């Protein structure tokens, strides 16, 4: 019975990807794609760094085409991969990959690094990671390399016409504010004031992206961080979403949308698009069976309560069917959950995407 359900789920997931590709203008296949942020979107940059924030060992990548770990914090594809597929393009390479040269530069680049946040003091326990200011510096360096390949004017045009994804915020709570009961940021701010501070710093990052030429930027906030297996294992009462992290996410995401609306108004253009990752994930967390999952509380890979304690390793518990789990490890969605998120990014209503979804962006930009 379960195997038949899994077969139906795999078939429906494939149909989602095919349908989404057909929705987007095929001319967009040539559009460059740039990615910034944390482990939710890291394609393997941390593989090249001396840090503990890595996903370069089994069973990570078990469902990737090579069935080997790639540095993605997933059993298979992550969100940037699936957006690239929907655009009809190949996945962006990590900026630190030695393969990123020549024609590969035209595809774009992934600058994301697991463990980072909006703030520089987020993720200090991971030591050598590419903080967001450094990611933006690498973006400027990338543009110089692209200019040397196709000329400065063509490089500038390619960056202006590119799609950009930036994912920040979750680590600023999980790996900073809530990291210890008496963290420095907890002593400095209450949750409301800390969230306002984060949004003010995020705004500066987005403005810097704009200065560097980004003109179409998908901006995600935090997911429902109190509901992930890692938080359920350490903070939950009776398996309910952890109260304080959920409170933080409920404050942060509306502030992010409000900030983006104001920033677009100041710029006189809908440069930035708010992606309500909190609502997207909360849908399948609260009603997992409606989305074909058997659980949204227990991670596929892990140990302890909810498989949410420690790291996902070769010694961890591992579920046999990743398609029926919403979470791959204590903090990251499965490939199938990522497909649901990306489908919503592309076709979702203003409940999820403000001021428009990705299919609308592509239709508008194809006329320019």
């Amino acid at each position: 019975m379960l195997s038949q359900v899994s077969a139906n789920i795999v078939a429906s997931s494939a149909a989602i990807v095919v349908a989404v590709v057909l929705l987007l203008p095929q001319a967009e296949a040539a559009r460059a794609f740039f990615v910034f942020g944390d482990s939710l979107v890291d394609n393997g940059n941390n593989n090249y760094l001396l840090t503990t924030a890595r996903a370069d060992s089994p069973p990570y990548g078990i469902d990737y085409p090579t069935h080997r770990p790639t540095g993605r914090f997933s059993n298979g594809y992550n969100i940037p991969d699936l957006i690239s597929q929907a655009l009809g393009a190949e996945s962006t390479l990590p900026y630190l990959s030695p393969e990123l040269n020549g024609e590969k530069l035209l595809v774009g680049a992934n600058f994301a690094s697991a463990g980072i946040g909006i703030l520089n003091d987020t993720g200090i326990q991971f030591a050598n990671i590419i903080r967001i200011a450094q990611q933006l510096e690498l973006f400027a360096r990338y543009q110089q390399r692209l200019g040397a390949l196709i000329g400065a004017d063509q490089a500038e045009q390619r960056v202006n016409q590119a799609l950009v994804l930036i994912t920040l915020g979750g680590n600023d709570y999980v790996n900073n504010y809530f990291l210890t009961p008496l963290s420095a940021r907890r002593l400095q701010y209450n949750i409301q004031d800390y969230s306002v501070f984060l949004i003010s710093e995020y705004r500066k990052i987005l403005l810097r992206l704009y200065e560097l030429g980004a003109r179409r930027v998908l901006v995600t906030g935090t997911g429902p961080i109190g509901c992930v297996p890692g938080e359920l294992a350490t903070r939950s009462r009776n398996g309910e979403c952890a109260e304080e992290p959920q409170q933080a996410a409920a404050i942060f995401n509306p502030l992010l949308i409000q900030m983006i609306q104001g920033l677009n108004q100041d710029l006189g253009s809908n440069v930035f698009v708010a992606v309500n990752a909190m609502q997207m994930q909360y849908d399948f967390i609260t009603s997992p069976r409606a989305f074909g999952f058997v659980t949204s509380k227990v991670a596929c890979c892990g140990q302890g309560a909810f498989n949410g304690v420690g790291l996902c390793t070769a010694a961890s518990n591992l579920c046999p069917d990743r398609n029926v789990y919403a979470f791959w490890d204590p903090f990251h969605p499965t490939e199938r959950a990522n497909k649901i998120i990306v489908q919503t990014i592309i076709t979702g209503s203003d409940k999820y995407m403000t001021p428009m979804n990705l299919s609308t962006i592509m239709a508008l930009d194809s006329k320019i």
Side-chain angles (χ1 to χ4, degrees):
M1 181 67 177
L2 189 59
S3 61
Q4 183 59 50
V5 170
S6 298
N8 291 341
I9 287 169
V10 170
S12 65
S13 294
I16 285 171
V17 173
V18 170
V20 162
V21 170
L22 292 175
L23 279 169
L24 301 180
Q26 291 304 298
E28 293 298 338
R31 189 175 201 168
F33 183 35
F34 302 107
V35 182
F36 303 86
D38 56 27
S39 60
L40 290 167
V41 293
D42 184 352
N43 272 17
N45 278 308
N46 281 22
N47 286 1
Y48 302 95
L49 304 173
L50 291 173
T51 177
T52 56
R54 294 166 68 131
D56 60 345
S57 59
Y60 284 96
I62 189 171
D63 298 310
Y64 195 75
T66 60
H67 305 294
R68 301 181 65 178
T70 62
R72 293 163 173 82
F73 285 75
S74 173
N75 58 301
Y77 290 123
N78 64 8
I79 289 170
D81 291 320
L82 297 166
I83 291 176
S84 291
Q85 289 175 22
L87 298 178
E90 61 187 276
S91 291
T92 54
L93 288 169
Y95 183 75
L96 298 184
S97 169
E99 296 178 26
L100 185 66
N101 52 54
E103 295 291 310
K104 294 288 186 181
L105 288 168
L106 297 173
V107 176
N110 186 312
F111 301 90
S113 178
I116 70 119
I118 295 167
L119 305 180
N120 280 334
D121 56 295
T122 291
I124 55 174
Q125 68 272 33
F126 301 125
N128 190 24
I129 50 182
I130 312 171
R131 305 192 183 283
I132 191 61
Q134 295 170 291
Q135 291 184 28
L136 296 177
E137 289 172 11
L138 293 177
F139 185 36
R141 195 178 304 173
Y142 161 89
Q143 293 185 44
Q144 293 173 350
R145 294 173 62 191
L146 184 64
L149 180 70
I150 62 175
D153 290 345
Q154 286 295 315
E156 181 180 5
Q157 183 180 25
R158 189 150 189 83
V159 169
N160 289 161
Q161 294 175 347
L163 181 68
V164 178
L165 171 67
I166 183 166
T167 298
L168 293 171
N171 282 327
D172 294 287
Y173 292 105
V174 173
N175 284 307
N176 192 333
Y177 192 86
F178 295 119
L179 185 61
T180 62
L182 293 175
S183 68
R185 291 298 187 182
R186 251 191 202 265
L187 296 173
Q188 187 179 10
Y189 295 104
N190 61 36
I191 294 176
Q192 175 70 36
D193 291 344
Y194 182 65
S195 300
V196 170
F197 173 57
L198 288 179
I199 292 297
S200 69
E201 293 301 303
Y202 208 165
R203 188 180 191 276
K204 295 173 186 176
I205 292 164
L206 297 181
L207 278 173
R208 180 60 182 145
L209 255 182
Y210 182 81
E211 290 170 0
L212 288 168
R215 294 296 181 268
R216 284 295 191 193
V217 186
L218 302 174
V219 185
T220 71
T222 73
I225 51 178
C227 303
V228 300
E231 293 298 302
L232 295 182
T234 56
R235 301 177 187 277
S236 172
R237 296 179 181 178
N238 303 319
E240 298 301 316
C241 297
E243 184 177 349
E244 277 196 316
Q246 273 304 93
Q247 179 189 354
I251 293 170
F252 181 88
N253 288 288
L255 287 175
L256 178 64
I257 294 170
Q258 182 181 347
M259 179 268 282
I260 285 174
Q261 289 173 327
L263 189 54
N264 284 339
Q265 187 172 2
D266 291 346
L267 295 172
S269 178
N270 289 323
V271 173
F272 299 102
V273 175
V275 179
N276 193 338
M278 166 102 170
Q279 189 60 55
M280 290 178 188
Q281 294 184 45
Y282 199 63
D283 285 353
F284 60 71
I285 284 173
T286 55
S287 303
R289 292 189 179 276
F291 291 84
F293 298 119
V294 298
T295 179
S296 60
K297 294 182 182 292
V298 180
C300 171
C301 181
Q303 47 278 314
F306 306 102
N307 275 348
V309 178
L311 303 174
C312 169
T313 70
S316 298
N317 302 319
L318 180 65
C319 69
D321 187 356
R322 274 72 66 184
N323 283 310
V324 294
Y325 280 71
F327 284 96
W328 159 244
D329 68 11
F331 292 98
H332 303 96
T334 56
E335 178 187 292
R336 186 165 172 274
N338 283 331
K339 287 180 178 178
I340 293 169
I341 292 167
V342 170
Q343 181 195 17
T344 311
I345 288 173
I346 294 170
T347 62
S349 69
D350 57 8
K351 176 182 178 182
Y352 306 99
M353 301 292 295
T354 307
M356 64 187 118
N357 60 34
L358 184 53
S359 63
T360 302
I361 291 171
M362 294 306 179
L364 287 172
D365 291 354
S366 68
K367 298 174 183 177
I368 297 174

